[in-house]
Amino acid sequence: MVVTVDAGVSLRDLINKVEGAALSLVAAPYWEGVTVGGLISTGAHGSSWWGKGGAVHDHVVGVSLVVPGKESEGFAKVLWLEGNDPLFKAAKVSLGVLGVISKVKLSLEPAFKRSITYDFTKDDDIEQMYVNHAKKFEFGDITWYPSKYTAVYRYDNRVHFNTSGDGINDFLGFQSQSVLVSMATQSTEKTFENSKDEKGKCAMATTFMAYKKSIANGLKNNKLFFTNYPVIGTQANIQASGSCLYSFPLRLDLTCGWDPTINGLSFYETTAIFPTTKFGDFVRDVKKLRDLITPQKLCGMDIYNGFLIRYIKASDAYLGQHEDSVVVDFNYYRGDDPKVPRLNQDILEEIEQIAFFKYGAKPHWAKNRKLAFLGVPKKFLNWNKFVEVKKQVDPRGMFSSEWSDEILYGENKENGDGCALEGLCICSQDRHCSPSKGYFCKPGFLYSNARVCRFSHAEILSSNLDLGVIS
Ligand SMILES: Cc1cc2nc3c(=O)[nH]c(=O)nc-3n(C[C@H](O)[C@H](O)[C@H](O)COP(=O)(O)OP(=O)(O)OC[C@H]3O[C@@H](n4cnc5c(N)ncnc54)[C@H](O)[C@@H]3O)c2cc1C
């Protein structure tokens, strides 16, 4: 009931091989375009509090790690790590900074199927429901569209392999898109940004959400279309997807939506990992903020996926989660010019700071803007143990980078003009925002400790008067 795989093998190849032997890998991220080494190194996860939980590294039972060695050892040595070895606990989620993982041994279970239904409903009770939802559904998650007052509960449990159903999860966001449509979508959003058109963004969010509902986010009963719930399919066909990966080079007009080689979608992804007990308060705060501002100001994130809420179980990995946790992803527009502020960026910055600093959420290692990593060492109980192992296996920092040194040992020193616009810093002065474009550093509406870049028409007039731009 285990598989040993080279670290560079793709998740899809691993899943297919394992299912070919009538076994299933229980946890995986939702996107299949990753490697085994890359996904465990950054703590990648799906969603589950059951069994070993939703994070893949908690299904790892051994790794081989190539670390620097003495000359007599040929300058490198290969360590096989497993069990209670502190090096194993450090290596499971190690950001590439300990050495090169060459093989990964993962635990498996007999092959199974899953049965999924998406329930589009009101968002009234998320803060009461999220714990029971995870307990009731092995692979449950929740998508929350705050501007639409809508929650989508994923009812998702395993069923016996003999249950009839040959469905697949071809998640819409990972389906191939026409290059032209991807470019047009980004350009439409850019137009709404430039004209500060909240209504336009809200109309876009309404259309996308209705479409997702009509096609069940990409679930297909018979591999071709969605016809009805529940959709039942094998674990291999349900957990991870990424059909856009295979459209190229067959169709040059198709691509993954975010392909950087075309002028298509470009967005940030913030991912905050909360201790379970604090997540309900975060939801309450976002709802209070929504009441203070207008819900329209949250339409930007609903164009993407709103808040995707998932579950990870407590882990013994030093850089994993030491307690059962709730993970929230939200995506939002990123322009092509880092100096141009974004529409309602103050609201998204406030939510980001509520998550990471009011409730002490931890960042997902593979996502987020830089500010999310501020103060990270204090958030991990076993941080010092990880740093000790790093010193032991890589004393000369051969596997360190500027980024890892800053996170492991240093402080964020960014304070250049406009640094808050791309999340490189939290603003403390107006120049960290964009005073010339009317964005000034202000406290949050709800979380007064937050410091965000907010547009102020009155202040841009007075600052232009001061500068003699308007006389
Ligand atoms: C579209 C999309 C959807 C995603 N969905 C999810 C999701 O559902 N859940 C989730 O948790 N994450 C998700 N992610 C994040 C993803 O899981 C991580 O970015 C993952 O690290 C990517 O793996 P990779 O093989 O591309 O890694 P890379 O980008 O190649 O590497 C990531 C890190 O791992 C290190 N690394 C890679 N290989 C090794 C090795 N052999 N030895 C030592 N270190 C190594 C690298 O040094 C680097 O620090 C998603 C990402 C994308 C782009």
Side-chain angles (χ1 to χ4, degrees):
M1 305 299 276
V2 292
V3 61
T4 302
V5 58
D6 287 340
V9 166
S10 84
L11 176 60
R12 175 46 59 191
D13 286 346
L14 170 64
I15 288 175
N16 288 347
K17 197 85 175 172
V18 159
E19 294 265 331
L23 297 165
S24 289
L25 180 67
V26 179
Y30 288 2
W31 163 242
E32 67 187 46
V34 291
T35 63
V36 173
L39 73 90
I40 66 160
S41 297
T42 56
H45 59 87
S47 183
S48 187
W49 274 353
W50 291 32
K52 294 182 178 188
V56 187
H57 54 263
D58 292 321
H59 298 254
V60 173
V61 291
V63 294
S64 66
L65 182 70
V66 186
V67 296
K70 298 187 200 112
E71 189 177 352
S72 58
E73 293 165 318
F75 298 106
K77 54 188 174 188
V78 183
L79 310 175
W80 177 255
L81 309 174
E82 60 187 0
N84 267 330
D85 186 344
L87 268 64
F88 182 46
K89 292 177 184 172
K92 282 187 206 177
V93 179
S94 46
L95 319 175
V97 304
L98 296 185
V100 178
I101 294 170
S102 54
K103 287 192 189 296
V104 181
K105 189 172 176 183
L106 289 145
S107 63
L108 302 170
E109 295 190 18
F112 60 89
K113 284 187 174 172
R114 281 163 59 176
S115 168
I116 307 188
T117 298
Y118 284 119
D119 181 10
F120 283 69
T121 183
K122 291 193 178 130
D123 71 356
D124 295 350
D125 302 323
I126 295 178
E127 59 272 41
Q128 272 99 43
M129 300 277 283
Y130 71 97
V131 171
N132 277 343
H133 186 66
K135 289 184 179 165
K136 202 166 164 195
F137 298 99
E138 180 173 3
F139 301 102
D141 68 25
I142 307 169
T143 305
W144 177 26
Y145 296 97
S147 75
K148 307 289 167 214
Y149 292 80
T150 298
V152 185
Y153 290 91
R154 174 173 171 151
Y155 305 143
D156 185 347
N157 268 330
R158 76 169 79 191
V159 290
H160 196 274
F161 201 74
N162 292 338
T163 314
S164 71
D166 197 15
I168 59 168
N169 177 9
D170 185 10
F171 175 63
L172 178 66
F174 303 156
Q175 288 180 18
S176 50
Q177 282 187 21
S178 142
V179 170
L180 290 177
V181 169
S182 179
M183 289 166 72
T185 310
Q186 180 75 1
S187 132
T188 308
E189 201 177 354
K190 190 174 175 178
T191 308
F192 293 148
E193 283 277 326
N194 292 344
S195 53
K196 298 198 169 43
D197 183 352
E198 285 175 2
K199 281 191 183 151
K201 284 216 176 201
C202 288
M204 226 170 149
T206 305
T207 311
F208 287 176
M209 200 185 85
Y211 181 59
K212 285 182 212 165
K213 186 175 180 181
S214 72
I215 60 149
N217 279 339
L219 290 178
K220 296 175 178 173
N221 299 74
N222 50 9
K223 296 198 172 161
L224 289 175
F225 306 107
F226 169 67
T227 50
N228 59 292
Y229 289 121
V231 174
I232 297 173
T234 61
Q235 166 72 349
N237 286 335
I238 296 289
Q239 175 63 28
S241 68
S243 60
C244 67
L245 288 165
Y246 315 107
S247 61
F248 187 85
L250 301 174
R251 294 269 310 266
L252 291 177
D253 58 326
L254 296 178
T255 180
C256 292
W258 57 87
D259 179 351
T261 64
I262 60 164
N263 224 349
L265 290 183
S266 163
F267 50 87
Y268 293 107
E269 178 152 329
T270 291
T271 300
I273 309 180
F274 292 80
T276 301
T277 47
K278 296 199 174 160
F279 181 67
D281 289 333
F282 170 75
V283 173
R284 283 181 201 97
D285 275 5
V286 174
K287 287 184 173 177
K288 276 188 217 155
L289 184 61
R290 177 175 67 184
D291 293 342
L292 279 175
I293 53 173
T294 55
Q296 285 80 354
K297 293 196 184 303
L298 296 170
C299 286
M301 71 166 78
D302 288 351
I303 290 177
Y304 297 88
N305 258 333
F307 292 103
L308 173 61
I309 300 164
R310 295 188 278 182
Y311 304 93
I312 305 185
K313 226 175 149 179
S315 170
D316 67 357
Y318 291 159
L319 297 190
Q321 308 308 313
H322 60 262
E323 57 194 321
D324 290 354
S325 302
V326 180
V327 189
V328 177
D329 298 299
F330 54 103
N331 296 356
Y332 43 99
Y333 175 85
R334 181 181 195 176
D336 43 20
D337 181 349
K339 294 287 176 206
V340 176
R342 288 166 295 115
L343 178 60
N344 295 323
Q345 79 164 58
D346 56 331
I347 306 303
L348 288 159
E349 285 180 302
E350 184 166 351
I351 294 172
E352 200 177 19
Q353 291 177 39
I354 289 174
F356 291 114
F357 307 116
K358 182 169 178 190
Y359 293 114
K362 302 191 195 85
H364 187 305
W365 293 113
K367 305 184 185 180
N368 289 301
R369 304 168 349 134
K370 205 166 178 180
L371 82 138
F373 296 92
L374 286 170
V376 135
K378 292 194 194 78
K379 295 181 179 176
F380 284 84
L381 285 183
N382 293 308
W383 187 265
N384 292 339
K385 291 184 188 164
F386 182 82
V387 174
E388 278 313 305
V389 171
K390 162 84 177 152
K391 283 183 190 151
Q392 185 186 332
V393 300
D394 181 26
R396 290 199 212 148
M398 202 168 161
F399 288 93
S400 297
S401 66
E402 197 182 322
W403 181 83
S404 68
D405 280 351
E406 189 176 313
I407 298 299
L408 294 175
Y409 311 114
E411 284 172 13
N412 182 311
K413 298 188 187 79
E414 300 277 355
N415 73 351
D417 289 356
C419 62
L421 299 176
E422 287 256 294
L424 296 174
C425 69
I426 295 175
C427 70
S428 54
Q429 302 169 37
D430 289 338
R431 70 180 182 84
H432 297 147
C433 299
S434 179
S436 64
K437 293 194 170 62
Y439 284 73
F440 300 87
C441 187
K442 298 284 171 197
F445 283 123
L446 179 78
Y447 177 40
S448 55
N449 287 350
R451 289 293 175 274
V452 300
C453 296
R454 179 168 302 132
F455 180 71
S456 164
H457 199 62
E459 281 181 63
I460 190 174
L461 282 177
S462 76
S463 101
N464 282 346
L465 278 171
D466 287 349
L467 292 169
V469 178
I470 301 173
S471 55

